[in-house]
Amino acid sequence: ETYEAARVDGAGRFRLAVSVTLPQMTGVLRTSYIYMGLGAIDSFGTMQALFAKMSSPNHAATTLTQYLWATAFEKGQFGYATAQGVFLALFSLLYVGLVFAVFRLINGPEQKGLAAS
């Protein structure tokens, strides 16, 4: 219906993409950015498979989750590893808040009542 209404109003292909398609995709895009970002922050499995036992040159590819694991289970410093985990959780929350803020700036406040219709 929105595409038909935009076409009747004289919108071209570019205007349809920018004014109709993108606003309808913002929820999906926001969720995708959150999942991709959190996956990049917590890339323990991938990096552990590539660089087991933190053997990358000068630890250049060591992620925070790998360092956390090594601190806890190889060095036995559980308190320090717990502090790293809290930092990782706060950093993840900060990232999610940043994604929501950017999407709010781009799209304006979400209109209420659109989900019900």
Side-chain angles (χ1 to χ4, degrees):
E1 292 176 8
T2 47
Y3 286 105
E4 286 182 39
R7 284 192 189 115
V8 168
D9 289 341
R13 293 174 72 160
F14 179 76
R15 180 54 59 187
L16 279 174
V18 171
S19 299
V20 178
T21 304
L22 282 177
Q24 291 179 353
M25 291 176 50
T26 55
V28 174
L29 290 173
R30 182 178 48 224
T31 304
S32 299
Y33 278 121
I34 289 172
Y35 280 133
M36 288 188 308
L38 292 179
I41 291 170
D42 187 33
S43 59
F44 178 77
T46 305
M47 297 309 285
Q48 191 69 15
L50 291 173
F51 304 106
K53 301 256 183 190
M54 295 176 50
S55 62
S56 64
N58 295 327
H59 305 293
T62 303
T63 62
L64 180 61
T65 50
Q66 279 183 301
Y67 187 66
L68 188 151
W69 185 85
T71 301
F73 299 111
E74 290 179 2
K75 297 177 184 175
Q77 298 174 341
F78 294 106
Y80 185 51
T82 302
Q84 291 173 349
V86 169
F87 173 77
L88 183 65
L90 292 176
F91 184 73
S92 298
L93 285 173
L94 179 70
Y95 171 75
V96 171
L98 181 69
V99 169
F100 273 99
V102 166
F103 271 88
R104 182 163 291 218
L105 283 174
I106 291 171
N107 299 326
E110 293 185 18
Q111 298 173 0
K112 295 181 181 178
L114 286 179
S117 54

